[in-house]
Structures are given as C-alpha cells and as structure tokens.
Amino acid sequence: MKALLLENIHPAAVETLESRGYEVELRTGSLSEDELIAALAGGVQLLGIRSNTTVTKRVLDESPDLLAIGCFCIGTNQVDLVAAAEKGIGVFNAPYSNTRSVVELVIAELIALARRLPEKTQRMHEGTWDKSAKGSHEVRGRTLGIVGYGNIGTQLSTVAEALGLNVVFYDTADRPAHGTARRMRSLKDLLAVADVVSLHVDGRPGNAGFFGAAEFAAMKPRALFLNASRGMVVDYEALRDNLISGHIAGAAVDVFPAEPKAQGDAFDSVLRGLDNVILTPHIGGSTQEAQEEIGWFVAEKLARFALEGSTALSVNLPAVLPPELPSGRRIGLLHRNLPGVLAELNATFATAGDNVVDQHLATKDGLGYVVTDAAAPLSAEAIDTLSKAEYCMWVRTW
Ligand SMILES: NC(=O)c1ccc[n+]([C@@H]2O[C@H](COP(=O)([O-])OP(=O)(O)OC[C@H]3O[C@@H](n4cnc5c(N)ncnc54)[C@H](O)[C@@H]3O)[C@@H](O)[C@H]2O)c1
C-alpha cells in the first residue's frame, strides 16, 4: 500500500499513514501534470496535496490505482471533483482544522487596532516617540458584531466573550447563540450597535461584494472593521474611502479579491499605505498547530476510506460512516443512484445465503454508496454478481 504526499505536508500525516501500514513517499514541492502521472504510476493508492498541485481529469484517467486524494488544506478546487467522483475516487479536506488559528489572529488584530498599534510601531521604526493615549481603547465592554456565525464565527464569539466583549451576531441561517451572545435580526441592526465588525461568511457566489459603501455608512462612527473570510465579499475601495474620511477608525484585512500565487510575488491593494490598517497575506489559518492538525485529520480520513470504507467528510462522494470494522465481513458498493439498487443488492445477498447485520446508505449528485456488514465472510458469488451489475462503479471488501 503506497501513499505519495507532496508540498511539504506535516509529518503527522506520514506517521498516521505509516501506522496504518502505508509506505509513504514525502516530497517537498508540487508536480506538473506529467510529473504527477509518472509519480502515481507505481501503484500509489493515496495522494496528498496542498493548494499548488492541480489534479486534472487526465491525471485521474491515467492513474488506475488511485483510490483517494487528500487536500491538506481547506480548498478543493485544485482537484477535478466531478471527474474524481465519476471514477469513485474519494476527495477529502480539512474544513475545521484552522478555525482556532483564525480566531486567535482576529483577536490579536482587534486589540492591536483598538490600541492603534500599526501606527505606533510604524512611528517607532521611523524614530518618533509618540506616547499619546489619544484614540487608544480597551476592548473590554465594547460590542463585537460577528457577521457569519459558522465554525469560526462561533468560536470567535466564545473567545471574545472571555475578553469581556459583548457579542452580537448576524447569520442568514438559523444559528443558536453561544454564551451570552445576542442574535440580531438583520445586518443593519448589527451594524447599528457594533463597535467592531468582523466578517466570517462563506464564499458562496451570492456573497460577492455584499459589504460595500452602504454597509460601511451604516456602521457606527469610529468603528473597527475586520475581514478574514473571503476577499471578494468586501468593496475595498469603499473601505478605503471610509478609512480616509475617518468614519472607520481602523481595519484588518487578511483576504483579497486577487491574491498573488507564489511566495515573494508582488502584492498591491487600494488599502496599502493607510494608517491603522493591518494587512496580512491570507495567514488566518497558517500556524504550525493548524498544519499538524490538518496533517493527521486528512491522513486519518484517507486511511479510513481505503481501509474501512468510510466516506465521512468526503467532498465528492456520498458520506457513509460505518461502525468499527468487522474484518472480512464488510462490502462497499459505489453505484449510480438508480431506483431499486438497494433491493437488488439485498436480493443478491439473500440468494447467496449472506446474512446482513448492518447496512448504511447515502446518496449524492447521482451517486449512491452503501456499506454492508454481514454475519460471516461474504460469498464470492455475491461479490461477483454485484461487481458485474450495470449500476456498479466499484465494489470493495474489507
Ligand atoms: N483567513 C484565513 O486564512 C481563513 C481560514 C479559514 C477559513 N477562512 C474563511 O472564513 C470563512 C468562514 O469559515 P467557516 O469555517 O466559519 O465557515 P462556515 O461555513 O462554518 O460559516 C459561514 C457562516 O456564514 C453564514 N453566512 C453566509 N453568507 C452570509 C451572509 N451573507 N450574511 C450572514 N451570514 C452568512 C453561513 O450561514 C454560515 O453560518 C470562510 O469564508 C472561509 O473561507 C479564512
């Protein structure tokens, strides 16, 4: 069993896969399409990448041994997910592993802006001693408005409350309040009371440009603004105007509509050069702790898919989390989602005399996945019949 991990993935992934019996090859850089096809040719079942490796349909077509791809990051758009699903190749990522890292950066920035640290440190480096308390505030007792109360928004809510901030939030979905946070009925209501507004919405297309001139105008005078969610959700020209006019007292921005691709590339933004503005290169989730967490989390998902049939948290296959592995008595069938497959599957078991003791089915985007545990090792007859069925994409046994 072979795994290939590219792009300097954390050693925690190597340890996890080796402990499950995999022979792991670890490479530091990414590979081109041709190089990747060559590297996968020697029977590699599991591929680990980060954001710089593109897995095209051609790579998938020419890598018949590949079972699963782990994106050791949040995004998965570097993989042709449709082609992978069509081949029954599971794709996994780490959607929650850097939540805490983002929250800690936001908290640090919030305090830094309230104390006007970007300007203070800049003046010191320029050789000017400016000890004034003008415009510097504690965050205790201030109201933090969180827009988007998902994984990151809710954890920010808890940590901010521990610092003595009052938390209000707005989310388009129904989200329960954590601690003493108050849910606001509209974005406008939130903007009317928040001393600090922090965006944590997702990147759905409808969110493009959703925070612009009207929203900045609706914020309290001298409020602070933070965005560590997606660059495209904010009109940064409007933010710049409001920072220059002084309506917004400071801002921290980690994400941009167009971000440089490689380390050391030039960066430009209308926000460059403004006082009390923290600009960071999309590092909200970039910590050693998050990398380690991503390493074992994704490696574990890959191993459980390959060795136990679990598709839990797969981004492109129906999600089934079967119970503890009963060795030699489990069968997984990935199939086209057509009427009658489950009935036919169970009739096949019954005909072969296999007694089903546990069964889990999930469907997604035209695919169905069913994991069945039997009372005794499954008969070769049933496995053969199922693998020849026209709806079958693959059959695996564990
Ligand atoms: N800066 C970084 O390095 C970094 C790292 C991780 C995640 N992120 C980004 O942070 C954001 C939040 O991540 P998450 O894991 O908490 O996502 P999530 O999906 O758990 O939460 C997003 C929340 O926003 C809500 N929402 C969506 N559109 C909204 C709108 N227009 N108004 C109000 N609420 C809205 C959703 O209902 C959901 O509750 C994402 O955009 C993600 O890409 C950035």
Side-chain angles (χ1 to χ4, degrees):
M1 301 195 302
K2 287 189 189 169
L4 171 66
L5 302 183
L6 306 178
E7 301 188 61
N8 229 353
I9 288 167
H10 196 276
V14 181
E15 276 166 38
T16 305
L17 290 172
E18 285 181 346
S19 72
R20 297 295 209 103
Y22 273 89
E23 183 190 313
V24 182
E25 184 186 348
L26 186 63
R27 299 199 193 184
T28 49
S30 60
L31 296 176
S32 68
E33 191 180 49
D34 286 335
E35 288 167 339
L36 187 54
I37 290 169
L40 292 171
V44 173
Q45 292 182 338
L46 305 180
L47 170 65
I49 58 169
R50 292 170 67 181
S51 49
N52 281 335
T53 304
T54 305
V55 183
T56 59
K57 182 171 184 304
R58 190 177 146 235
V59 171
L60 300 170
D61 284 342
E62 297 191 23
S63 308
D65 297 317
L66 193 61
L67 299 181
I69 300 165
C71 300
F72 287 73
C73 49
I74 313 292
T76 53
N77 55 6
Q78 67 277 42
V79 178
D80 186 332
L81 294 177
V82 175
E86 200 42 49
K87 296 193 155 297
I89 295 172
V91 181
F92 298 85
N93 68 339
Y96 322 118
S97 297
N98 58 15
T99 300
R100 176 71 190 202
S101 300
V102 178
V103 168
E104 290 194 11
L105 181 72
V106 168
I107 292 285
E109 290 176 336
L110 193 151
I111 296 173
L113 292 176
R115 299 295 295 270
R116 303 197 74 81
L117 294 191
E119 289 162 277
K120 299 276 179 207
T121 183
Q122 182 66 26
R123 296 294 105 81
M124 290 294 274
H125 282 289
E126 288 162 5
T128 306
W129 185 262
D130 168 15
K131 199 176 153 3
S132 158
K134 191 164 173 267
S136 293
H137 298 277
E138 293 184 352
V139 298
R140 178 176 53 162
R142 296 280 162 159
T143 299
L144 168 65
I146 299 174
V147 184
Y149 208 59
N151 295 313
I152 294 172
T154 50
Q155 194 165 144
L156 174 63
S157 178
T158 306
V159 178
E161 214 173 282
L163 281 172
L165 284 135
N166 303 313
V167 177
V168 295
F169 69 91
Y170 169 68
D171 199 299
T172 42
D174 283 332
R175 302 274 182 232
H178 289 223
T180 60
R182 278 187 303 133
R183 180 176 182 166
M184 306 308 276
R185 295 168 78 109
S186 68
L187 180 60
K188 207 167 148 232
D189 289 352
L190 178 144
L191 299 178
V193 298
D195 300 304
V196 183
V197 172
S198 193
L199 301 190
H200 299 285
V201 299
D202 54 58
R204 67 187 70 178
N207 278 345
F210 106 102
F211 208 100
E215 288 69 30
F216 286 116
M219 284 172 67
K220 285 173 75 174
R222 307 300 294 162
L224 300 171
F225 176 81
L226 295 90
N227 183 23
S229 62
R230 295 294 182 100
M232 57 91 169
V233 303
V234 178
D235 177 350
Y236 286 134
E237 299 271 357
L239 174 58
R240 179 186 165 83
D241 293 346
N242 280 278
L243 285 161
I244 290 172
S245 75
H247 177 60
I248 301 299
V253 177
D254 188 44
V255 285
F256 302 87
E259 295 179 359
K261 285 265 173 286
Q263 202 78 339
D265 278 0
F267 161 76
D268 203 6
S269 163
V270 291
L271 300 173
R272 276 181 55 202
L274 297 178
D275 270 356
N276 212 28
V277 174
I278 300 173
L279 300 179
T280 46
H282 204 147
I283 50 162
S286 304
T287 62
Q288 290 303 307
E289 289 77 8
Q291 289 308 314
E292 181 174 349
E293 160 101 8
I294 289 170
W296 70 255
F297 184 92
V298 179
E300 190 62 30
K301 295 285 166 293
L302 291 174
R304 290 209 63 193
F305 175 66
L307 304 175
E308 301 175 17
S310 168
T311 47
L313 288 181
S314 165
V315 295
N316 67 335
L317 297 184
V320 171
L321 176 60
E324 285 290 297
L325 182 63
S327 176
R329 297 188 281 115
R330 173 167 294 172
I331 183 166
L333 169 71
L334 185 74
H335 60 86
R336 307 261 167 230
N337 186 15
L338 301 169
V341 172
L342 195 59
E344 214 173 299
L345 174 87
N346 286 328
T348 306
F349 290 142
T351 307
D354 292 324
N355 189 21
V356 172
V357 293
D358 196 14
Q359 194 163 58
H360 299 261
L361 166 76
T363 60
K364 178 183 167 131
D365 300 338
L367 295 181
Y369 180 49
V370 56
V371 178
T372 306
D373 288 338
L378 287 145
S379 59
E381 181 194 340
I383 296 168
D384 187 52
T385 307
L386 290 173
S387 53
K388 287 181 181 147
E390 66 181 282
Y391 49 75
C392 174
M393 297 177 68
W394 51 248
V395 167
R396 285 186 201 135
T397 54
W398 297 276

